[in-house]
Amino acid sequence: MAPVFLEGKLYITQPDIPRFHSADDTPLTVRIDTTQQVCEELPLTYSLLTSEEKSANNSQFSRIFDGKNFVYSFYVSEDIVVASADHSTIKRIKAASRYISSATEEQKDSEAGPRLYLELARYGDLIYDPYRKIYYRFAYPKVDLDRNMNWWGKAVYGRKKFSFLILDKDFQVIGETLFPEGIYNSFVFLVNKDGLYISRDYQVGMGNQSDDYMTFERFELVSKK
């Protein structure tokens, strides 16, 4: 995920690699002062995951900076984690999808791994929309995929089924939209002044899309009366 440059320092994320270092002692973010050549570990570590979340065998997360806070979205957790810029203040906030009962089913290391990665219920990227001062969080309900298809390398096309939650400036869920299956690639998106753009190039099992260009659909935020 993209590094953040803040007040002359670079903030980068670290993956959980247990064979090299204890997960509970591995910081999610490291702050680097490139001028002084100093690297500092920030206090938030993978220890924030519950035992149930750790047992899912997936410690992936997304991280954004909204100009004030770093916000983390773990794929196996219904909560998001909001940290101040220096990570001295941290709070965990529930941001659950109504389409997911649990995101902690274990992703086993096996030949079925690539399929399970696209099948099991999980949360996804969290996006900040600076034009409307809101957040979007992708959620992926569990689906059943074709057992006869080779799913290696198919993750680049996104998930077959997804929704996204809309969170207000205080990180409270104010809405959720479930999208039709097999059309959009929710791994490819951008936020612009006129709305949220999501790629329409899912491509799995479909042969009518071109490799020469990408197509996007724009979504606007509307209030329900």
Side-chain angles (χ1 to χ4, degrees), residues 2 4-6 63-72 80-87 91 93 126-136 167-171:
V4 173
F5 196 70
L6 180 63
R63 183 201 68 180
I64 58 99
F65 181 66
D66 63 9
K68 179 181 177 182
N69 303 297
F70 283 96
V71 188
Y72 297 83
I80 60 172
V81 178
V82 182
S84 57
D86 63 358
H87 287 55
K91 54 185 176 181
I93 301 173
L126 185 137
I127 316 167
Y128 178 57
D129 184 339
Y131 305 105
R132 284 153 283 273
K133 309 297 183 186
I134 59 172
Y135 305 82
Y136 307 107
L167 286 68
D168 65 17
K169 61 182 178 62
D170 298 315
F171 307 103

Side-chain angles (χ1 to χ4, degrees), residues 41-147:
E41 296 182 348
L42 296 183
L44 185 61
T45 72
Y46 288 88
S47 63
L48 66 87
L49 292 174
T50 66
S51 57
E52 184 180 10
E53 290 166 351
K54 290 176 182 176
S55 68
N57 195 29
N58 185 331
S59 59
Q60 289 180 289
F61 63 89
S62 80
R63 183 201 68 180
I64 58 99
F65 181 66
D66 63 9
K68 179 181 177 182
N69 303 297
F70 283 96
V71 188
Y72 297 83
S73 169
F74 278 89
Y75 294 0
V76 295
S77 177
E78 64 181 20
D79 299 338
I80 60 172
V81 178
V82 182
S84 57
D86 63 358
H87 287 55
S88 62
T89 302
I90 295 167
K91 54 185 176 181
R92 188 164 175 153
I93 301 173
K94 187 176 177 119
S97 167
R98 64 176 180 265
Y99 302 107
I100 295 178
S101 58
S102 172
T104 57
E105 185 175 348
E106 182 183 2
Q107 183 178 334
K108 297 180 180 179
D109 293 323
S110 67
E111 286 295 314
R115 174 175 52 79
L116 291 173
Y117 180 78
L118 297 171
E119 240 183 15
L120 299 180
R122 292 287 188 261
Y123 289 91
D125 290 329
L126 185 137
I127 316 167
Y128 178 57
D129 184 339
Y131 305 105
R132 284 153 283 273
K133 309 297 183 186
I134 59 172
Y135 305 82
Y136 307 107
R137 190 190 195 196
F138 285 97
Y140 300 102
K142 186 174 182 179
V143 296
D144 291 318
L145 298 176
D146 185 353
R147 297 303 197 263

Side-chain angles (χ1 to χ4, degrees), residues 9-12 14 27-33 37-43 86-87:
K9 296 180 175 63
L10 194 64
Y11 292 71
I12 63 173
Q14 284 199 140
L28 303 183
T29 293
V30 173
R31 180 167 55 194
I32 301 173
D33 187 327
Q37 297 185 347
V38 174
C39 179
E40 178 187 2
E41 296 182 348
L42 296 183
D86 63 358
H87 287 55

